[in-house]
Amino acid sequence: MTSLACGVDFGTSNSTVGLFRPGQPSLLTLEDGKGTLPSAIFFHDDDDDVSYGRAAIADYVSGYDGRLMRAMKSLLGSSLMEGSTEVQGRSVPFRVLLTRFIAELKRRAEQSCGQPLTQAVFGRPVFFVDDSPAADKLAQDTLGEIARDVGFANVEFQFEPIAAAFDYESQIDREELVLVVDIGGGTSDFTLIRLGPERAGRADRRDDILAHGGVHIGGTDFDKQLSLAHVMPLFGLGSQLRSGKDVPSTQYINLACWHTINQAYTKKAAENFAFIRAQTAEPARIALLDEMVKQRAGHWVAIQVEDAKIALSEDPSTHISLDRIAPALGTDVARPDFDQAIGGLIGRVERTVTDLIATAGVTADAVDTVFFTGGSSRVPLLRESVSALVPAARSVEGDLFGSIGAGLALDAKRRFA
């Protein structure tokens, strides 16, 4: 059988595989007839079963004993990548976990298209790691090694916002100067690029790219700030010890970050919790923290926070119910509360976009279109803030979870034709 070239978007929250098929959708179906596979693995404690994607999250929420891993892409380029975690009673390197997920992603894509996939263009953020070229290179090298280990013989990389630009370019009939805004689960990436039908067929697009940049801020960071501001205080964050000092925040920060939640269940964390219990001046709130850890419900709490973030992108307020931990436990959050929690992050995004436009050497009013993609690009404060920087540009929303995969498929066709 002929091997096909595909585009792989291994995302912090969701992953896709794109294949250029004229007259057909680019994204291959990966789970339940959908073109996205949530980047999640669940290891069952009672047997050797492993579930992926929506099934993994459903098994965890249903109360099966085991370990849920999400936001694994955030490990790339970090010191944690060389570490390991306990899974099904044994120590498993994080690299092995990423390899298992990407192998499953490839298997499902091949099952969907009915042919082997050995050539791939992988998407990558503009910066895996901010302000560290060495760590950034290590992250790409690691992902490339994993891709080859699972059977992709030829692997190339493309910046994710540039891939999204290629998808948008396939839909327009005139030349435009486009600011691509890709807000994913772990990073915010931007490209200022000239697009148009006459440019689309060029093999070399370097002259069309005026500037690109990024910052290590994404949807999981919005979740974290919302959790720290409005959820973790219910469990004692910001309370005091009898000495008058604040309760240590390390474990709360771990519980607010998708890729570090499991660190709250370690022996070292248990020792820290024991100290907090013995010294707290507010035992009722710490008792709730104990209950969350006892239930290993950190991921469940994170899911409630993520759902609230999504709700606040549409509604002026929402209620975060935490009744699994204790009856009637929860909090109301209004959109201004959310805006305040993420304001510092949005400020960094604004500075990144402003610097990008300056680097490109164009004026803000020269930008014709802002193309939003990535699930977290729907956050109202972010969208309003970026749009205000280029007031003459029209705003266009792409396929929030599929534009990158579709663009990578186009790029793979060009590179491996």
Side-chain angles (χ1 to χ4, degrees):
M1 297 180 69
T2 303
S3 175
L4 301 177
C6 64
V8 180
D9 177 21
F10 169 48
T12 302
S13 299
N14 293 278
S15 295
T16 66
V17 179
L19 190 66
F20 181 76
R21 301 178 293 177
Q24 299 183 61
S26 295
L27 297 189
L28 297 172
T29 56
L30 300 175
E31 184 182 27
D32 299 336
K34 296 180 174 63
T36 57
L37 181 69
S39 303
I41 308 178
F42 185 75
F43 296 87
H44 292 251
D45 283 346
D46 296 337
D47 48 45
D48 289 331
D49 284 352
V50 180
S51 49
Y52 298 85
R54 293 170 186 83
I57 297 170
D59 285 350
Y60 171 79
V61 172
S62 296
Y64 288 101
D65 291 332
R67 289 290 301 275
L68 178 69
M69 303 294 297
R70 284 193 73 183
M72 294 172 289
K73 183 178 179 180
S74 298
L75 297 169
L76 290 167
S78 76
S79 58
L80 288 174
M81 192 65 208
E82 300 307 314
S84 59
T85 188
E86 185 177 328
V87 173
Q88 296 173 330
R90 57 186 180 274
S91 179
V92 178
F94 285 117
R95 182 181 180 122
V96 171
L97 299 179
L98 264 71
T99 301
R100 290 192 67 160
F101 180 81
I102 293 174
E104 179 67 13
L105 186 64
K106 181 175 186 289
R107 185 192 71 77
R108 292 184 184 217
E110 290 177 332
Q111 185 178 50
S112 179
C113 70
Q115 291 183 262
L117 300 170
T118 60
Q119 302 175 110
V121 177
F122 270 70
R124 57 149 295 167
V126 175
F127 298 111
F128 278 105
V129 181
D130 292 341
D131 303 320
S132 178
D136 188 78
K137 181 179 184 302
L138 177 62
Q140 177 173 303
D141 290 347
T142 301
L143 182 56
E145 290 165 4
I146 289 172
R148 285 184 281 273
D149 286 344
V150 305
F152 289 111
N154 299 307
V155 178
E156 296 193 25
F157 288 91
Q158 179 60 272
F159 290 131
E160 289 159 358
I162 294 178
F166 293 156
D167 178 49
Y168 175 64
E169 186 174 52
S170 69
Q171 306 165 35
I172 59 177
D173 57 9
R174 63 183 179 85
E175 184 168 308
E176 299 179 16
L177 178 59
V178 180
L179 172 64
V180 180
V181 178
D182 170 27
I183 314 296
T187 58
S188 295
D189 295 308
F190 311 94
T191 291
L192 193 60
I193 184 171
R194 296 193 187 280
L195 301 175
E198 294 183 1
R199 297 175 183 270
R202 298 177 182 175
D204 187 348
R205 301 298 300 274
R206 284 176 292 184
D207 290 344
D208 295 336
I209 301 167
L210 277 64
H212 54 75
V215 62
H216 206 268
I217 291 172
T220 56
D221 299 289
F222 299 150
D223 296 345
K224 174 184 174 181
Q225 295 305 317
L226 180 58
S227 181
L228 291 174
H230 295 282
V231 173
M232 290 303 154
L234 300 174
F235 298 93
L237 178 63
S239 65
Q240 292 188 319
L241 303 175
R242 290 197 302 270
S243 65
K245 293 182 179 180
D246 288 342
V247 167
S249 62
T250 300
Q251 301 309 328
Y252 296 102
I253 293 172
N254 284 340
L255 287 164
C257 300
W258 279 103
H259 65 287
T260 58
I261 289 171
N262 287 314
Q263 292 186 31
Y265 309 141
T266 64
K267 181 179 179 181
K268 181 178 179 181
E271 293 171 351
N272 289 334
F273 286 141
F275 168 79
I276 293 171
R277 278 196 305 271
Q279 300 296 323
T280 181
E282 299 186 48
R285 285 204 275 172
I286 301 305
L288 294 172
L289 175 65
D290 269 346
E291 185 62 24
M292 184 192 348
V293 173
K294 179 182 177 182
Q295 292 188 28
R296 294 204 167 192
H299 284 94
W300 179 84
V301 171
I303 290 170
Q304 311 317 304
V305 174
E306 182 181 38
D307 287 347
K309 174 193 69 180
I310 294 169
L312 288 167
S313 294
E314 302 291 338
D315 304 319
S317 64
T318 191
H319 180 74
I320 303 176
S321 175
L322 302 168
D323 54 2
R324 172 174 166 175
I325 310 300
L329 181 64
T331 185
D332 293 321
V333 184
R335 187 179 291 171
D337 300 324
F338 180 42
D339 291 348
Q340 184 175 11
I342 65 173
L345 300 179
I346 300 301
R348 290 174 59 193
V349 168
E350 289 176 327
R351 289 191 291 274
T352 302
V353 173
T354 299
D355 291 345
L356 179 86
I357 294 170
T359 299
V362 299
T363 60
D365 58 7
V367 179
D368 299 304
T369 304
V370 183
F371 181 70
F372 289 100
T373 188
S376 291
S377 69
R378 274 190 175 161
V379 170
L381 180 62
L382 181 141
R383 186 168 291 208
E384 293 162 7
S385 299
V386 172
S387 296
L389 297 175
V390 283
R394 67 189 185 110
S395 293
V396 175
E397 183 177 288
D399 181 338
L400 298 186
F401 300 103
S403 288
I404 293 173
L408 290 170
L410 287 169
D411 202 26
K413 175 183 177 293
R414 294 187 188 115
R415 296 190 192 212
F416 295 114

